[in-house]
Structures are given as C-alpha cells and as structure tokens.
Amino acid sequence: MAVNLKRRIQGLLEDAIEAVRGRGELTIESNAAISIERARDSGHGDFASPVALGLARTLRRNPREVAEAIAARIPTSEEVAKIEIAGPGFINFFLTPLALQSVATDVLEAGNTFGRSEIGGGAPVQVEFVSANPTGPLHVGHGRHAAFGAVIANLLEATGHRVQREYYINDAGRQMDILGTSVWLRYLERCGESIPFPVNGYRGGYVIELAAALGEESGEAFRVPASAVLAGIPPDEADGGSREAHIDALIARTKSLLGDRYRQVFDHALGAMTSQIREDLERFGVTFDRWYSERSLVESGAVERVVEQLRGAKCAYLRDGALWFASTEFGDEKDRVLIRENGQATYFTNDIAYHLDKVERGFEELVDVWGADHHGYIRRMKAALAALGRDPDRLEVLLVQFAILYRGGKKIPMSTRAGEFVTLRELCEEVGTDAARFFYVMRKNDQHLDFDLDLAVSRSAENPVYYVQYAHARVCSVMRQLSERGHRWEAGRVSLHRLVESQELGLLRTLSRYPEVVETAGMAREPHQMAYYLRELANDFHAYYNAHTLLTEDAELRDARVALALATRQVLSNGLELLGVSAPESM
C-alpha cells in the first residue's frame, strides 16, 4: 500500500529527531511520541507538529529552541516548500505543488486500496450489531444500528483488522414466548375461538400473517377451546388487572395446553421472523459471518458453567431465594440477579455466558452496538468480565440513538408493541437503500437522527447522497465525452505539474486527506466523519467542474485534469463502498 502524504511528512520529522538524538544535540527518549496534524489555518502551512512542546517539558528547555534544533535536521524534500517555527514552538510544514500533484498518482496507482492501511496489525475483532429480538420485522430504528455497525466493521477491515460480523439471536427469552403465545392466540381466532387479545401481546399485522401461515401448514392441529385457555387466567390491564401477570399466565397456559407441540408453534414464529430479518438485512447490504443462537448457548450448558465460575470466584451469593452477582465489587451501582427465585436464569446471565464465549473464541476486541437505552447495562457487563478474570476493556460498547422519521415536516409516530411502525423494508422501498445507508450514518451515533424522507428522495444538492453520487457520475460522464470526442487518456503520459489552479490544488489537498479520514473514522468509531468527508470532496469537485473546462483543447492540460477527475472518482468510490452505498455511473 502506498504511504500517504501525512505519513511521508511524519517520516521526515522522525528522521530529524533521530538525527538530533544521534548527534547528541538533545537527549530524547527513543519512544518519544511524535505527532503531526493537519494545520487548521492555511496560513500555518499544511501540517503542524507540537512535538517540540512535549519534548521541551521533559528536557526542561525552551520549546522554540527545541523546535529549531529539530527543524534544522529535517531532510530536504521536494515535497516541502518551507518549514516555519510558530507560536510557542510548533513546527509547520508548507507543501510544494508537487507534493499535492503526486496525490493523484498515489490514488490512481493504488485504486480501490487507496486509503487502506495495516495499523490494526491483523488483530481479531468481533463486531456484534443489530441483534434485534426476532419478535417482529426490523423497523427504522434497527436500520440505523445495521448501517452503523456495518460501516464500523468495514472501517476496521480497511485499517487492517480481522473482523467477524455477528448477529446474536435472542431466541430464548420471555419476549419470544410472548410472540409464540401471540401467534397461537391469533391462530385460535382464525379457528373461530373468541379470546380477548392481551394488552401485552404483539399486535402487528405480521402476527396475523404468521398465524395464517401456521393454519395453512397445520390446519386445526393446535386448536384448543377458548374456555380451556382462559380458565383461571388473571384479568388483563383493561379489566383492572396486571398486563404482566396476564401475559405470563397466558404463556404458562399455552405451554401447558400444547405440551411438546409448543415448540412447533414457537419455532414456526422464530424461523419465519429470523428469515425475514436476514432477508431484509441482505437487501440492505448487511451480511453477517455468524448468526449466534441464544438458545444454543443455553442448551450447550454455557450458562450453567458461567454461573459455577462466578460461584467459584466467590462473586455470587444467595438472597431471598435468588442467586445474585456481587457486581458492586467491580464498579457496578448495585448487585444483579443471576438466577431468579423460580430457578430461571436472567437475560443478563445468558449475556455473561455469551460474552465469555466471545473472549474464549480468541477475539482481542469485542465491539457491541447497542441501543441508547442500554447505557446502564455496560457497567454490569464489564463487571462480569472482570469477575471472570477477563480484561473488561476488551469490551467496547457503542450506543446508537433513535432515528425519527419526518414526512412533510411532520414526525411519523411509531410503537413497536402496538405494531405501528415503519419497517426497514418499507423505508428502503420508499427512499432506496443508498439514501437510507447514507442518511443513517450522517450523524454521530450517540445523537438523535432526524430522517427527512422528502429530502432523501430529492434530486438536489441539498440531498447529500445524491450530491456525492452525482459527483461520481459526473466524472463518468466526462470519460464518455472524452471518448466521443475521439480522445484517449493514458496514465503514463500525464503531466500533473499542469495542475496549478487554486481549485485544483485544493481538490488534491482534500484527496490527500482520505487515508487519514479512514483511520480516524475507524479508530474513533465515527462513520459520520466519512459521510462528511465525501460531501466535502463532492463539493470541491463540483466547484472545480463548474469553474474550469476539463476537456480543454490543450491535450497535456486535458490529460492532467482528467487524471484529477479520475482520482476524485476513485476516492468517492472507495468511500461510498465503506458506507455500503453504490457509486453510479449515470444519474
């Protein structure tokens, strides 16, 4: 992979510091941190390093003197026009036009690998995301999780990590029992039984469809009289009772009446919903290396084993008939229940076993993408890992806030339990997968996202995905025009020194930043940085295109400008690929 421009300049700085150290001019430790960043003010050059300020504190010297000693040893380079010492001791680098012009060559030679690096060192990382309960179709909230998690995984791969994408299927808990019971009650309705539908049941139309499919497959094999279902069941909330007690009693009655057949109803609902989720995600361009079943974890005995490990570590104790985890000893705000009074493991216990399994599979980093409402869950999960003798810092949890849809300036109300929501499939059908993927990552994950449906389908500069894709398509159009005019472009004969206009150098400067954006977006887990960058690049290209004639009669200049356009197209394509967005050749 080509060394990017920032690393080349940093290399010059490192050579200078080594020379200063070797000559004994300054006593600098070999592991001294050497940082260099883009200058915020163009008047301060292209790159600036505060390295002298840090060294001065250690050396107890004036930072400007340290900076001058280092600057004097920086090797001569055709890419550096001048070096200045600024302020208290910043070392500022001003680039030559050649340094920027060479960026076009770097891009075209590297192609779709431009911007990728090996800073991850091949470290195995698991990214677990979406992991929505298969109790209903994926809605627009899940879509944000899917887009965000997928781009995080892409960025980690682009920075040299070995990534496994995993979906944890919550198929062993109470919510799935509520779905199974809801489907069976709708099935009984279809068979002619009159049973008031529980307030806490799943009410979406998809439940009725699941019940209908069950009836088509099995006839009335699962039919039971309504009287047998309702006998002795405590009243629902609508009748002055408790919605929780009512649905729990219905679940127990369903299992009792169906016996071994309950698993058939349960698996029917689970299989159908999991298949739909998988299909919707694949349509959305999101695939997983592994779909991990919570039920398989439980049935393997992993949950019992982790409980015994916590007991053995003296981190579990009995109180009020339940088994508790002493999580306060590891920084949690309160202790947590592992095994309820009825002998059932909590979801938390299953989750501990799951995360221990991840560690035992050899992943150095565990990146979990959770909903913002799970914030309080992070501390207890890290506490569990610490209690099991594992490094809690191996777990990194990224919280994703809600996505709110707007149409015509009005908020679209959504309620999952009531079945009133916009599915991910419906969203993609309305605005397209590209717009959905791009819009989902435009804002930082811990900020609420207002998704403007009208903007997402507009063909205007205000629509960021259209604006970026149009820049890519525009270059493709330039290449078609070039061919139609009987011209050919060959990389070997391009004279990039002809690119001297301020907008050309500005566009090259933006292109040179791409590898840095990939690294910072990946390391900071901030896909929105890539979205912002692509929009900025598209803006620079559109402005350049509108201000200058690319297919000029001057063949040498024409070839140079086409090279710049092709480099722009390549970087747009590379960045859009990381976001999971297509790069169309025409629009």
Side-chain angles (χ1 to χ4, degrees):
M1 296 182 182
V3 177
N4 65 55
L5 184 56
K6 178 182 176 181
R7 291 205 185 284
R8 292 203 293 270
I9 301 303
Q10 182 164 345
L12 296 175
L13 185 60
E14 291 170 350
D15 289 345
I17 291 175
E18 186 59 37
V20 169
R21 180 190 297 115
R23 291 170 176 266
E25 297 173 15
L26 295 173
T27 306
I28 301 174
E29 297 293 331
S30 59
N31 61 350
I34 302 173
S35 62
I36 187 168
E37 301 297 335
R38 292 275 175 174
R40 296 182 179 180
D41 185 340
S42 59
H44 296 159
D46 294 279
F47 292 99
S49 175
V51 64
L53 281 69
L55 293 174
R57 285 192 292 270
T58 303
L59 299 171
R60 297 183 178 180
R61 296 274 299 272
N62 182 295
R64 285 191 67 94
E65 292 178 1
V66 175
E68 288 167 358
I70 294 171
R73 297 299 177 190
I74 294 175
T76 301
S77 170
E78 60 184 5
E79 292 187 315
V80 178
K82 65 177 179 176
I83 297 169
E84 289 184 349
I85 309 302
F90 288 95
I91 303 175
N92 294 342
F93 293 80
F94 293 77
L95 300 180
T96 63
L98 175 64
L100 296 173
Q101 293 156 357
S102 68
V103 171
T105 301
D106 292 343
V107 174
L108 294 175
E109 288 182 350
N112 58 15
T113 66
F114 181 75
R116 293 180 173 268
S117 69
E118 298 296 338
I119 61 171
V125 180
Q126 189 214 57
V127 183
E128 183 229 320
F129 59 110
V130 186
S131 297
N133 291 342
T135 53
L138 295 178
H139 55 63
V140 294
H142 298 132
R144 189 178 188 193
H145 286 245
F148 176 76
V151 179
I152 290 295
N154 291 345
L155 287 168
L156 285 169
E157 278 189 338
T159 48
H161 297 80
R162 288 191 292 115
V163 180
Q164 188 212 47
R165 299 160 175 82
E166 186 156 293
Y167 188 114
Y168 183 52
I169 309 171
N170 302 126
D171 54 2
R174 178 171 177 263
Q175 293 304 315
M176 282 304 301
D177 282 330
I178 293 177
L179 176 65
T181 299
S182 299
V183 170
W184 186 56
L185 293 177
R186 291 300 193 193
Y187 163 85
L188 292 178
E189 284 181 3
R190 187 175 182 275
C191 292
E193 300 294 335
S194 180
I195 301 175
F197 198 77
V199 172
N200 228 17
Y202 284 100
R203 296 175 167 270
Y206 66 93
V207 176
I208 296 174
E209 293 174 2
L210 290 171
L214 180 64
E216 292 172 3
E217 292 176 7
S218 308
E220 296 192 356
F222 301 103
R223 183 172 185 175
V224 174
S227 58
V229 176
L230 298 174
I233 296 293
D236 204 348
E237 185 177 71
D239 299 316
S242 164
R243 64 164 66 187
E244 301 296 341
H246 182 73
I247 192 66
D248 284 342
L250 281 174
I251 290 171
R253 181 62 51 81
T254 301
K255 292 180 177 179
S256 173
L257 291 173
L258 290 177
D260 293 340
R261 294 178 300 163
Y262 173 73
R263 185 66 175 257
Q264 293 177 253
V265 175
F266 182 97
D267 286 347
H268 167 79
L270 170 64
M273 292 316 309
T274 302
S275 294
Q276 182 176 331
I277 288 170
R278 188 191 295 258
E279 182 180 324
D280 286 351
L281 287 171
E282 288 178 351
R283 288 182 177 181
F284 195 50
V286 176
T287 57
F288 292 88
D289 301 303
R290 182 171 184 179
W291 292 69
Y292 194 110
S293 164
E294 180 187 6
R295 190 165 67 186
S296 72
L297 182 79
V298 173
E299 293 174 348
S300 72
V303 178
E304 287 85 350
R305 287 194 296 274
V306 82
V307 170
E308 288 308 309
Q309 288 185 52
L310 290 171
R311 284 180 185 270
K314 301 188 183 308
C315 298
Y317 63 90
L318 288 170
R319 189 179 77 195
D320 301 328
L323 183 68
W324 293 71
F325 167 45
S327 54
T328 50
E329 296 182 11
F330 301 91
D332 197 5
E333 59 186 14
K334 65 181 181 179
D335 290 351
R336 309 291 176 176
V337 175
L338 294 171
I339 306 295
R340 300 185 183 93
E341 294 177 54
N342 61 6
Q344 296 296 311
T346 61
Y347 178 82
F348 174 53
T349 310
N350 291 358
D351 222 12
I352 296 173
Y354 175 48
H355 282 79
L356 180 60
D357 177 80
K358 292 183 181 188
V359 173
E360 291 177 341
R361 280 187 269 158
F363 295 110
E364 294 182 11
E365 294 181 63
L366 311 177
V367 179
D368 285 7
V369 179
W370 294 353
D373 55 341
H374 286 70
H375 182 273
Y377 205 77
I378 301 173
R379 187 178 296 175
R380 75 187 74 166
M381 185 54 61
K382 285 180 173 285
L385 289 173
L388 292 166
R390 311 293 180 162
D391 181 4
D393 290 335
R394 290 170 74 170
L395 172 63
E396 178 182 7
V397 178
L398 305 174
L399 299 176
V400 177
Q401 280 286 357
F402 301 106
I404 302 171
L405 294 184
Y406 286 85
R407 181 184 286 115
K410 295 182 179 179
K411 179 180 176 181
I412 299 176
M414 290 193 291
S415 170
T416 305
R417 182 56 61 91
E420 299 171 351
F421 55 83
V422 177
T423 66
L424 177 61
R425 180 177 297 186
E426 290 169 337
L427 176 69
C428 290
E429 289 174 349
E430 179 169 346
V431 306
T433 296
D434 285 342
R437 290 286 298 256
F438 199 98
F439 270 59
Y440 272 133
V441 298
M442 281 198 308
R443 292 183 67 84
K444 201 170 185 299
N445 55 291
D446 59 3
Q447 298 177 347
H448 280 87
L449 172 67
D450 293 338
F451 196 119
D452 188 332
L453 294 170
D454 298 321
L455 178 61
V457 297
S458 69
R459 297 173 66 85
S460 68
E462 285 70 38
N463 179 353
V465 66
Y466 174 82
Y467 192 63
V468 173
Q469 288 180 318
Y470 182 49
H472 184 274
R474 209 167 204 179
V475 179
C476 294
S477 175
V478 168
M479 297 309 294
R480 288 193 293 271
Q481 293 176 42
L482 183 74
S483 177
E484 290 168 0
R485 297 182 186 184
H487 300 306
R488 284 200 322 159
W489 181 86
E490 296 179 9
R493 68 182 189 189
V494 177
S495 301
L496 294 173
H497 69 274
R498 296 294 303 275
L499 300 176
V500 295
E501 298 289 346
S502 60
Q503 285 178 315
E504 291 170 335
L505 295 176
L507 182 54
L508 285 162
R509 187 172 281 108
T510 302
L511 289 172
S512 74
R513 286 177 35 228
Y514 177 72
E516 301 159 41
V517 174
V518 175
E519 288 189 10
T520 56
M523 296 302 97
R525 317 295 194 244
E526 295 183 347
H528 68 278
Q529 289 193 31
M530 179 59 65
Y532 288 171
Y533 169 81
L534 291 176
R535 193 170 184 179
E536 179 184 350
L537 177 59
N539 183 70
D540 288 352
F541 177 74
H542 288 309
Y544 171 54
Y545 180 91
N546 292 330
H548 298 278
T549 301
L550 271 62
L551 301 184
T552 177
E553 292 302 315
D554 182 335
E556 186 179 68
L557 179 60
R558 180 178 65 236
D559 285 347
R561 287 179 172 177
V562 168
L564 177 56
L566 288 173
T568 303
R569 182 178 71 173
Q570 185 66 64
V571 171
L572 287 170
S573 176
N574 292 358
L576 287 171
E577 182 179 12
L578 290 176
L579 296 185
V581 178
S582 70
E585 295 187 1
S586 61
M587 296 182 70

